[in-house]
Amino acid sequence: MDLAKTRRRGAELEEALLDSAWTELEQVGFSAFTYDGVASRAGTSKPVLYRRWPAKVDLVLAALTHGGLFARRDLPDTGSLRGDILDVLRRFNAARSGFIAAITVYMADINAETGLSPAQLRDRLLDGRIDTGRQLLERAAARGEIPTRDWSTSVASLPADLVRHDLVMTLAPIPDARIVEIVDELWLPLVMEGR
């Protein structure tokens, strides 16, 4: 067999490495996650991994991103801020509820090992992207639906933060009535204030 023809390179190699890292993370969790385990699954050596991800947390965060947990999803455009945020929160609830217990444990383990806070990890995973809430607020303001303001991060992220909190506290999908309550009774009155 000609090794030059079977050797993976570039994007193909990185895809295989991240697939293996994601599988390792799913099957053994963060605390038992090792470069040896990932290298074995990928059929490669540890130096190949270390060249790309010099620290365990780098490889874990890359695997989480590769697994789609922090992928940017298309923003809905229902024509109203309420419709848009309800759609976003419902999709988030459906997509993340099954993995929320595991990610909570991973975040705690990563913090214990590296000292990185959940907020710092989130910032690394989102890689400087503008948060969804802010995008929805800016779009609603451009439509004239709400006042134009310099929205604070706290206000912009409030609905997602509350849904995330409920998911972590219950370790289960949250009822749709709670999502509607967050939007109609907490967030929309706040952003409509002064209109």
Side-chain angles (χ1 to χ4, degrees):
M1 174 158 69
D2 185 357
L3 289 177
K5 290 182 181 178
T6 61
R7 178 170 275 167
R8 298 167 296 183
R9 297 192 188 291
E12 180 187 3
L13 174 60
E14 189 153 316
E15 179 84 11
L17 297 174
L18 290 172
D19 283 344
S20 297
W22 174 248
T23 302
E24 180 80 358
L25 189 59
E26 282 186 307
Q27 292 187 0
V28 305
F30 178 83
S31 57
F33 182 93
T34 65
Y35 280 84
D36 284 326
V38 175
S40 176
R41 284 181 195 278
T44 192
S45 65
K46 290 191 309 186
V48 170
L49 295 169
Y50 280 112
R51 276 193 296 273
R52 288 164 177 80
W53 303 283
K56 176 181 171 179
V57 70
D58 298 325
L59 180 53
V60 168
L61 294 180
L64 289 172
T65 300
H66 178 73
L69 294 177
F70 299 93
R72 172 65 73 191
R73 286 161 174 68
D74 292 333
L75 287 180
D77 190 357
T78 66
S80 75
L81 178 59
R82 181 181 187 274
D84 292 348
I85 194 65
L86 284 172
D87 187 275
V88 166
L89 296 176
R90 286 171 174 149
R91 286 191 287 157
F92 181 84
N93 187 39
R96 301 296 195 278
S97 61
F99 196 68
I100 203 71
I103 195 69
T104 301
V105 171
Y106 296 162
M107 294 300 181
D109 286 345
I110 291 170
N111 174 262
E113 188 170 304
T114 66
L116 292 170
S117 71
Q120 291 169 318
L121 291 170
R122 181 178 180 271
D123 288 346
R124 282 186 63 179
L125 287 164
L126 295 180
D127 196 29
R129 292 181 296 191
I130 296 173
D131 64 77
T132 299
R134 183 171 310 283
Q135 288 180 292
L136 295 180
L137 288 168
E138 289 172 357
R139 192 167 64 190
R143 285 193 302 253
E145 190 178 354
I146 60 172
T148 299
R149 293 191 183 143
D150 183 17
W151 299 102
S152 70
T153 301
S154 297
V155 170
S157 67
L158 182 67
D161 290 345
L162 291 173
V163 167
R164 193 177 306 106
H165 169 270
D166 285 9
L167 287 169
V168 168
M169 296 306 289
T170 64
L171 300 178
I174 63 173
D176 192 65
R178 173 64 175 150
I179 292 173
V180 172
E181 176 186 40
I182 288 168
V183 170
D184 289 347
E185 296 182 27
L186 300 172
W187 195 57
L188 286 178
L190 184 64
V191 300
M192 297 299 282
E193 186 176 282
R195 182 153 174 82

